PDB file of all heavy atoms in Angstrom:
ATOM      1  N   ILE A 343     -52.355 -25.627 -26.207  1.00 98.00           N
ATOM      2  CA  ILE A 343     -51.338 -26.282 -27.100  1.00 98.00           C
ATOM      3  C   ILE A 343     -51.237 -25.601 -28.381  1.00 98.00           C
ATOM      4  O   ILE A 343     -50.205 -25.462 -29.007  1.00 98.00           O
ATOM      5  CB  ILE A 343     -51.669 -27.804 -27.237  1.00 98.00           C
ATOM      6  CG1 ILE A 343     -50.389 -28.601 -27.661  1.00 98.00           C
ATOM      7  CG2 ILE A 343     -52.777 -28.118 -28.184  1.00 98.00           C
ATOM      8  CD1 ILE A 343     -50.477 -30.059 -27.481  1.00 98.00           C
ATOM      9  N   ARG A 344     -52.391 -25.039 -28.920  1.00 98.00           N
ATOM     10  CA  ARG A 344     -52.334 -24.231 -30.127  1.00 98.00           C
ATOM     11  C   ARG A 344     -51.517 -22.954 -29.883  1.00 98.00           C
ATOM     12  O   ARG A 344     -50.691 -22.511 -30.683  1.00 98.00           O
ATOM     13  CB  ARG A 344     -53.762 -23.864 -30.611  1.00 98.00           C
ATOM     14  CG  ARG A 344     -53.807 -22.911 -31.748  1.00 98.00           C
ATOM     15  CD  ARG A 344     -55.196 -22.549 -32.158  1.00 98.00           C
ATOM     16  NE  ARG A 344     -55.186 -21.594 -33.291  1.00 98.00           N
ATOM     17  CZ  ARG A 344     -56.248 -20.898 -33.677  1.00 98.00           C
ATOM     18  NH1 ARG A 344     -57.390 -21.106 -33.056  1.00 98.00           N
ATOM     19  NH2 ARG A 344     -56.083 -20.050 -34.679  1.00 98.00           N
ATOM     20  N   PHE A 345     -51.810 -22.360 -28.682  1.00 98.00           N
ATOM     21  CA  PHE A 345     -51.103 -21.107 -28.309  1.00 98.00           C
ATOM     22  C   PHE A 345     -49.528 -21.394 -28.239  1.00 98.00           C
ATOM     23  O   PHE A 345     -48.838 -20.617 -28.833  1.00 98.00           O
ATOM     24  CB  PHE A 345     -51.627 -20.710 -26.989  1.00 98.00           C
ATOM     25  CG  PHE A 345     -51.076 -19.439 -26.396  1.00 98.00           C
ATOM     26  CD1 PHE A 345     -51.285 -18.199 -26.969  1.00 98.00           C
ATOM     27  CD2 PHE A 345     -50.131 -19.505 -25.277  1.00 98.00           C
ATOM     28  CE1 PHE A 345     -50.674 -17.027 -26.417  1.00 98.00           C
ATOM     29  CE2 PHE A 345     -49.586 -18.391 -24.808  1.00 98.00           C
ATOM     30  CZ  PHE A 345     -49.829 -17.149 -25.342  1.00 98.00           C
ATOM     31  N   VAL A 346     -49.169 -22.445 -27.578  1.00 98.00           N
ATOM     32  CA  VAL A 346     -47.747 -22.708 -27.405  1.00 98.00           C
ATOM     33  C   VAL A 346     -47.051 -22.992 -28.751  1.00 98.00           C
ATOM     34  O   VAL A 346     -45.946 -22.658 -29.070  1.00 98.00           O
ATOM     35  CB  VAL A 346     -47.483 -23.712 -26.266  1.00 98.00           C
ATOM     36  CG1 VAL A 346     -47.468 -25.128 -26.779  1.00 98.00           C
ATOM     37  CG2 VAL A 346     -46.211 -23.484 -25.573  1.00 98.00           C
ATOM     38  N   LEU A 347     -47.802 -23.777 -29.614  1.00 98.00           N
ATOM     39  CA  LEU A 347     -47.197 -24.163 -30.957  1.00 98.00           C
ATOM     40  C   LEU A 347     -46.973 -22.858 -31.725  1.00 98.00           C
ATOM     41  O   LEU A 347     -45.884 -22.703 -32.323  1.00 98.00           O
ATOM     42  CB  LEU A 347     -48.143 -25.082 -31.663  1.00 98.00           C
ATOM     43  CG  LEU A 347     -48.115 -26.555 -31.240  1.00 98.00           C
ATOM     44  CD1 LEU A 347     -49.340 -27.249 -31.767  1.00 98.00           C
ATOM     45  CD2 LEU A 347     -46.867 -27.290 -31.718  1.00 98.00           C
ATOM     46  N   ASN A 348     -47.958 -21.936 -31.731  1.00 98.00           N
ATOM     47  CA  ASN A 348     -47.785 -20.732 -32.483  1.00 98.00           C
ATOM     48  C   ASN A 348     -46.708 -19.880 -31.931  1.00 98.00           C
ATOM     49  O   ASN A 348     -45.843 -19.247 -32.609  1.00 98.00           O
ATOM     50  CB  ASN A 348     -49.091 -19.838 -32.439  1.00 98.00           C
ATOM     51  CG  ASN A 348     -49.965 -20.315 -33.627  1.00 98.00           C
ATOM     52  OD1 ASN A 348     -49.853 -19.871 -34.774  1.00 98.00           O
ATOM     53  ND2 ASN A 348     -50.903 -21.231 -33.366  1.00 98.00           N
ATOM     54  N   ARG A 349     -46.698 -19.750 -30.564  1.00 98.00           N
ATOM     55  CA  ARG A 349     -45.626 -18.983 -29.871  1.00 98.00           C
ATOM     56  C   ARG A 349     -44.264 -19.463 -30.179  1.00 98.00           C
ATOM     57  O   ARG A 349     -43.389 -18.708 -30.519  1.00 98.00           O
ATOM     58  CB  ARG A 349     -45.940 -19.064 -28.318  1.00 98.00           C
ATOM     59  CG  ARG A 349     -45.670 -17.787 -27.664  1.00 98.00           C
ATOM     60  CD  ARG A 349     -45.921 -17.903 -26.166  1.00 98.00           C
ATOM     61  NE  ARG A 349     -44.945 -17.064 -25.568  1.00 98.00           N
ATOM     62  CZ  ARG A 349     -43.792 -17.596 -25.171  1.00 98.00           C
ATOM     63  NH1 ARG A 349     -43.500 -18.845 -25.149  1.00 98.00           N
ATOM     64  NH2 ARG A 349     -42.879 -16.727 -24.651  1.00 98.00           N
ATOM     65  N   TYR A 350     -44.060 -20.835 -30.067  1.00 98.00           N
ATOM     66  CA  TYR A 350     -42.741 -21.369 -30.296  1.00 98.00           C
ATOM     67  C   TYR A 350     -42.309 -21.154 -31.791  1.00 98.00           C
ATOM     68  O   TYR A 350     -41.140 -20.901 -32.036  1.00 98.00           O
ATOM     69  CB  TYR A 350     -42.697 -22.814 -29.885  1.00 98.00           C
ATOM     70  CG  TYR A 350     -42.568 -23.047 -28.375  1.00 98.00           C
ATOM     71  CD1 TYR A 350     -42.608 -22.019 -27.492  1.00 98.00           C
ATOM     72  CD2 TYR A 350     -42.430 -24.350 -27.872  1.00 98.00           C
ATOM     73  CE1 TYR A 350     -42.495 -22.224 -26.113  1.00 98.00           C
ATOM     74  CE2 TYR A 350     -42.361 -24.600 -26.533  1.00 98.00           C
ATOM     75  CZ  TYR A 350     -42.398 -23.536 -25.658  1.00 98.00           C
ATOM     76  OH  TYR A 350     -42.262 -23.756 -24.310  1.00 98.00           O
ATOM     77  N   TYR A 351     -43.231 -21.374 -32.686  1.00 98.00           N
ATOM     78  CA  TYR A 351     -42.863 -21.258 -34.071  1.00 98.00           C
ATOM     79  C   TYR A 351     -42.552 -19.739 -34.408  1.00 98.00           C
ATOM     80  O   TYR A 351     -41.595 -19.450 -35.107  1.00 98.00           O
ATOM     81  CB  TYR A 351     -43.900 -21.822 -35.025  1.00 98.00           C
ATOM     82  CG  TYR A 351     -43.427 -21.870 -36.425  1.00 98.00           C
ATOM     83  CD1 TYR A 351     -42.266 -22.584 -36.696  1.00 98.00           C
ATOM     84  CD2 TYR A 351     -44.011 -21.127 -37.451  1.00 98.00           C
ATOM     85  CE1 TYR A 351     -41.689 -22.593 -37.993  1.00 98.00           C
ATOM     86  CE2 TYR A 351     -43.534 -21.162 -38.706  1.00 98.00           C
ATOM     87  CZ  TYR A 351     -42.371 -21.846 -39.015  1.00 98.00           C
ATOM     88  OH  TYR A 351     -41.899 -21.852 -40.321  1.00 98.00           O
ATOM     89  N   ASP A 352     -43.394 -18.852 -33.891  1.00 98.00           N
ATOM     90  CA  ASP A 352     -43.094 -17.426 -34.130  1.00 98.00           C
ATOM     91  C   ASP A 352     -41.716 -17.081 -33.607  1.00 98.00           C
ATOM     92  O   ASP A 352     -41.020 -16.234 -34.199  1.00 98.00           O
ATOM     93  CB  ASP A 352     -44.155 -16.533 -33.358  1.00 98.00           C
ATOM     94  CG  ASP A 352     -45.540 -16.597 -33.979  1.00 98.00           C
ATOM     95  OD1 ASP A 352     -45.718 -17.078 -35.060  1.00 98.00           O
ATOM     96  OD2 ASP A 352     -46.466 -16.085 -33.257  1.00 98.00           O
ATOM     97  N   ARG A 353     -41.354 -17.686 -32.558  1.00 98.00           N
ATOM     98  CA  ARG A 353     -40.078 -17.295 -31.838  1.00 98.00           C
ATOM     99  C   ARG A 353     -38.931 -17.987 -32.445  1.00 98.00           C
ATOM    100  O   ARG A 353     -37.835 -17.365 -32.727  1.00 98.00           O
ATOM    101  CB  ARG A 353     -40.196 -17.726 -30.368  1.00 98.00           C
ATOM    102  CG  ARG A 353     -38.983 -17.182 -29.540  1.00 98.00           C
ATOM    103  CD  ARG A 353     -39.185 -17.508 -28.053  1.00 98.00           C
ATOM    104  NE  ARG A 353     -38.101 -16.895 -27.297  1.00 98.00           N
ATOM    105  CZ  ARG A 353     -38.243 -15.731 -26.689  1.00 98.00           C
ATOM    106  NH1 ARG A 353     -39.387 -15.068 -26.644  1.00 98.00           N
ATOM    107  NH2 ARG A 353     -37.157 -15.247 -26.046  1.00 98.00           N
ATOM    108  N   TRP A 354     -39.035 -19.248 -32.811  1.00 98.00           N
ATOM    109  CA  TRP A 354     -37.866 -20.029 -33.227  1.00 98.00           C
ATOM    110  C   TRP A 354     -37.821 -20.477 -34.661  1.00 98.00           C
ATOM    111  O   TRP A 354     -36.744 -20.865 -35.187  1.00 98.00           O
ATOM    112  CB  TRP A 354     -37.674 -21.270 -32.320  1.00 98.00           C
ATOM    113  CG  TRP A 354     -37.390 -20.906 -30.916  1.00 98.00           C
ATOM    114  CD1 TRP A 354     -36.535 -19.931 -30.518  1.00 98.00           C
ATOM    115  CD2 TRP A 354     -37.979 -21.404 -29.680  1.00 98.00           C
ATOM    116  NE1 TRP A 354     -36.465 -19.775 -29.113  1.00 98.00           N
ATOM    117  CE2 TRP A 354     -37.397 -20.717 -28.599  1.00 98.00           C
ATOM    118  CE3 TRP A 354     -38.899 -22.347 -29.378  1.00 98.00           C
ATOM    119  CZ2 TRP A 354     -37.688 -20.974 -27.256  1.00 98.00           C
ATOM    120  CZ3 TRP A 354     -39.253 -22.639 -28.121  1.00 98.00           C
ATOM    121  CH2 TRP A 354     -38.656 -21.941 -27.085  1.00 98.00           C
ATOM    122  N   GLN A 355     -38.985 -20.445 -35.374  1.00 98.00           N
ATOM    123  CA  GLN A 355     -38.996 -20.841 -36.785  1.00 98.00           C
ATOM    124  C   GLN A 355     -38.383 -22.168 -37.026  1.00 98.00           C
ATOM    125  O   GLN A 355     -37.606 -22.316 -38.046  1.00 98.00           O
ATOM    126  CB  GLN A 355     -38.379 -19.674 -37.638  1.00 98.00           C
ATOM    127  CG  GLN A 355     -39.036 -18.342 -37.485  1.00 98.00           C
ATOM    128  CD  GLN A 355     -40.297 -18.277 -38.369  1.00 98.00           C
ATOM    129  OE1 GLN A 355     -40.240 -18.387 -39.584  1.00 98.00           O
ATOM    130  NE2 GLN A 355     -41.378 -18.019 -37.748  1.00 98.00           N
ATOM    131  N   LYS A 356     -38.651 -23.084 -36.142  1.00 98.00           N
ATOM    132  CA  LYS A 356     -38.087 -24.473 -36.283  1.00 98.00           C
ATOM    133  C   LYS A 356     -39.237 -25.424 -36.313  1.00 98.00           C
ATOM    134  O   LYS A 356     -40.287 -25.167 -35.619  1.00 98.00           O
ATOM    135  CB  LYS A 356     -37.151 -24.819 -35.117  1.00 98.00           C
ATOM    136  CG  LYS A 356     -35.858 -24.094 -35.094  1.00 98.00           C
ATOM    137  CD  LYS A 356     -34.842 -24.850 -35.964  1.00 98.00           C
ATOM    138  CE  LYS A 356     -33.514 -24.075 -35.962  1.00 98.00           C
ATOM    139  NZ  LYS A 356     -32.629 -24.557 -37.011  1.00 98.00           N
ATOM    140  N   PRO A 357     -39.120 -26.606 -36.993  1.00 98.00           N
ATOM    141  CA  PRO A 357     -40.153 -27.577 -36.837  1.00 98.00           C
ATOM    142  C   PRO A 357     -40.317 -27.939 -35.398  1.00 98.00           C
ATOM    143  O   PRO A 357     -39.383 -27.951 -34.640  1.00 98.00           O
ATOM    144  CB  PRO A 357     -39.596 -28.766 -37.653  1.00 98.00           C
ATOM    145  CG  PRO A 357     -38.531 -28.257 -38.520  1.00 98.00           C
ATOM    146  CD  PRO A 357     -37.980 -27.010 -37.795  1.00 98.00           C
ATOM    147  N   LEU A 358     -41.597 -28.285 -35.028  1.00 98.00           N
ATOM    148  CA  LEU A 358     -41.919 -28.559 -33.651  1.00 98.00           C
ATOM    149  C   LEU A 358     -42.430 -29.998 -33.491  1.00 98.00           C
ATOM    150  O   LEU A 358     -43.070 -30.514 -34.432  1.00 98.00           O
ATOM    151  CB  LEU A 358     -42.983 -27.607 -33.138  1.00 98.00           C
ATOM    152  CG  LEU A 358     -42.588 -26.165 -33.175  1.00 98.00           C
ATOM    153  CD1 LEU A 358     -43.772 -25.251 -32.776  1.00 98.00           C
ATOM    154  CD2 LEU A 358     -41.430 -25.863 -32.257  1.00 98.00           C
ATOM    155  N   PHE A 359     -42.110 -30.646 -32.440  1.00 99.00           N
ATOM    156  CA  PHE A 359     -42.565 -31.975 -32.197  1.00 99.00           C
ATOM    157  C   PHE A 359     -43.158 -32.073 -30.783  1.00 99.00           C
ATOM    158  O   PHE A 359     -42.458 -31.745 -29.790  1.00 99.00           O
ATOM    159  CB  PHE A 359     -41.315 -32.981 -32.290  1.00 99.00           C
ATOM    160  CG  PHE A 359     -41.608 -34.387 -32.639  1.00 99.00           C
ATOM    161  CD1 PHE A 359     -40.772 -35.050 -33.498  1.00 99.00           C
ATOM    162  CD2 PHE A 359     -42.730 -35.082 -32.181  1.00 99.00           C
ATOM    163  CE1 PHE A 359     -41.008 -36.395 -33.889  1.00 99.00           C
ATOM    164  CE2 PHE A 359     -42.994 -36.371 -32.514  1.00 99.00           C
ATOM    165  CZ  PHE A 359     -42.176 -37.016 -33.392  1.00 99.00           C
ATOM    166  N   ILE A 360     -44.403 -32.446 -30.701  1.00 99.00           N
ATOM    167  CA  ILE A 360     -45.102 -32.642 -29.382  1.00 99.00           C
ATOM    168  C   ILE A 360     -44.733 -34.031 -28.885  1.00 99.00           C
ATOM    169  O   ILE A 360     -45.267 -34.994 -29.431  1.00 99.00           O
ATOM    170  CB  ILE A 360     -46.640 -32.458 -29.440  1.00 99.00           C
ATOM    171  CG1 ILE A 360     -46.889 -31.098 -30.138  1.00 99.00           C
ATOM    172  CG2 ILE A 360     -47.293 -32.594 -28.053  1.00 99.00           C
ATOM    173  CD1 ILE A 360     -48.199 -31.087 -30.950  1.00 99.00           C
ATOM    174  N   VAL A 361     -43.858 -34.145 -27.912  1.00 98.00           N
ATOM    175  CA  VAL A 361     -43.412 -35.453 -27.503  1.00 98.00           C
ATOM    176  C   VAL A 361     -43.997 -35.963 -26.230  1.00 98.00           C
ATOM    177  O   VAL A 361     -43.665 -37.049 -25.712  1.00 98.00           O
ATOM    178  CB  VAL A 361     -41.804 -35.557 -27.488  1.00 98.00           C
ATOM    179  CG1 VAL A 361     -41.252 -35.363 -28.871  1.00 98.00           C
ATOM    180  CG2 VAL A 361     -41.298 -34.540 -26.484  1.00 98.00           C
ATOM    181  N   GLU A 362     -44.808 -35.155 -25.612  1.00 98.00           N
ATOM    182  CA  GLU A 362     -45.615 -35.568 -24.425  1.00 98.00           C
ATOM    183  C   GLU A 362     -46.866 -34.781 -24.324  1.00 98.00           C
ATOM    184  O   GLU A 362     -46.826 -33.488 -24.386  1.00 98.00           O
ATOM    185  CB  GLU A 362     -44.815 -35.401 -23.082  1.00 98.00           C
ATOM    186  CG  GLU A 362     -43.703 -36.368 -22.805  1.00 98.00           C
ATOM    187  CD  GLU A 362     -43.067 -36.162 -21.481  1.00 98.00           C
ATOM    188  OE1 GLU A 362     -43.766 -35.811 -20.478  1.00 98.00           O
ATOM    189  OE2 GLU A 362     -41.822 -36.342 -21.390  1.00 98.00           O
ATOM    190  N   ASN A 363     -47.983 -35.514 -24.127  1.00 98.00           N
ATOM    191  CA  ASN A 363     -49.272 -34.789 -23.841  1.00 98.00           C
ATOM    192  C   ASN A 363     -50.157 -35.979 -23.404  1.00 98.00           C
ATOM    193  O   ASN A 363     -50.028 -37.057 -23.906  1.00 98.00           O
ATOM    194  CB  ASN A 363     -49.803 -34.167 -25.110  1.00 98.00           C
ATOM    195  CG  ASN A 363     -51.192 -33.592 -24.961  1.00 98.00           C
ATOM    196  OD1 ASN A 363     -52.070 -33.859 -25.708  1.00 98.00           O
ATOM    197  ND2 ASN A 363     -51.315 -32.740 -23.923  1.00 98.00           N
ATOM    198  N   GLY A 364     -51.040 -35.746 -22.434  1.00 98.00           N
ATOM    199  CA  GLY A 364     -51.873 -36.817 -22.005  1.00 98.00           C
ATOM    200  C   GLY A 364     -52.561 -36.456 -20.668  1.00 98.00           C
ATOM    201  O   GLY A 364     -52.228 -35.513 -20.028  1.00 98.00           O
ATOM    202  N   LEU A 365     -53.499 -37.347 -20.322  1.00 98.00           N
ATOM    203  CA  LEU A 365     -54.229 -37.181 -19.070  1.00 98.00           C
ATOM    204  C   LEU A 365     -53.845 -38.329 -18.053  1.00 98.00           C
ATOM    205  O   LEU A 365     -54.135 -39.432 -18.351  1.00 98.00           O
ATOM    206  CB  LEU A 365     -55.728 -37.202 -19.320  1.00 98.00           C
ATOM    207  CG  LEU A 365     -56.636 -37.163 -18.111  1.00 98.00           C
ATOM    208  CD1 LEU A 365     -56.590 -35.795 -17.460  1.00 98.00           C
ATOM    209  CD2 LEU A 365     -58.098 -37.460 -18.507  1.00 98.00           C
ATOM    210  N   GLY A 366     -53.231 -37.892 -16.992  1.00 98.00           N
ATOM    211  CA  GLY A 366     -52.875 -38.882 -15.930  1.00 98.00           C
ATOM    212  C   GLY A 366     -54.026 -38.877 -14.943  1.00 98.00           C
ATOM    213  O   GLY A 366     -54.265 -37.892 -14.224  1.00 98.00           O
ATOM    214  N   THR A 367     -54.697 -40.009 -14.883  1.00 98.00           N
ATOM    215  CA  THR A 367     -55.878 -40.137 -13.895  1.00 98.00           C
ATOM    216  C   THR A 367     -56.165 -41.542 -13.509  1.00 98.00           C
ATOM    217  O   THR A 367     -55.470 -42.482 -14.007  1.00 98.00           O
ATOM    218  CB  THR A 367     -57.081 -39.414 -14.524  1.00 98.00           C
ATOM    219  OG1 THR A 367     -58.059 -39.150 -13.549  1.00 98.00           O
ATOM    220  CG2 THR A 367     -57.680 -40.239 -15.681  1.00 98.00           C
ATOM    221  N   ASN A 368     -57.138 -41.720 -12.668  1.00 98.00           N
ATOM    222  CA  ASN A 368     -57.544 -43.040 -12.197  1.00 98.00           C
ATOM    223  C   ASN A 368     -58.321 -43.759 -13.284  1.00 98.00           C
ATOM    224  O   ASN A 368     -59.133 -43.152 -13.962  1.00 98.00           O
ATOM    225  CB  ASN A 368     -58.500 -42.857 -10.999  1.00 98.00           C
ATOM    226  CG  ASN A 368     -57.817 -42.186  -9.856  1.00 98.00           C
ATOM    227  OD1 ASN A 368     -56.883 -42.706  -9.224  1.00 98.00           O
ATOM    228  ND2 ASN A 368     -58.245 -41.005  -9.506  1.00 98.00           N
ATOM    229  N   ASP A 369     -58.118 -45.064 -13.425  1.00 98.00           N
ATOM    230  CA  ASP A 369     -58.895 -45.890 -14.352  1.00 98.00           C
ATOM    231  C   ASP A 369     -59.433 -47.102 -13.627  1.00 98.00           C
ATOM    232  O   ASP A 369     -58.912 -47.557 -12.636  1.00 98.00           O
ATOM    233  CB  ASP A 369     -57.962 -46.434 -15.472  1.00 98.00           C
ATOM    234  CG  ASP A 369     -57.589 -45.406 -16.465  1.00 98.00           C
ATOM    235  OD1 ASP A 369     -58.388 -44.479 -16.690  1.00 98.00           O
ATOM    236  OD2 ASP A 369     -56.583 -45.672 -17.178  1.00 98.00           O
TER     237      ASP A 369
END
Side-chain angles (χ1 to χ4, degrees):
I343 203 167
R344 175 181 178 192
F345 178 74
V346 87
L347 281 162
N348 272 277
R349 215 180 145 266
Y350 281 2
Y351 188 59
D352 288 349
R353 189 174 186 98
W354 295 316
Q355 299 282 301
K356 288 276 178 194
L358 300 173
F359 206 141
I360 304 149
V361 295
E362 285 186 35
N363 175 233
L365 177 67
T367 195
N368 299 294
D369 281 336

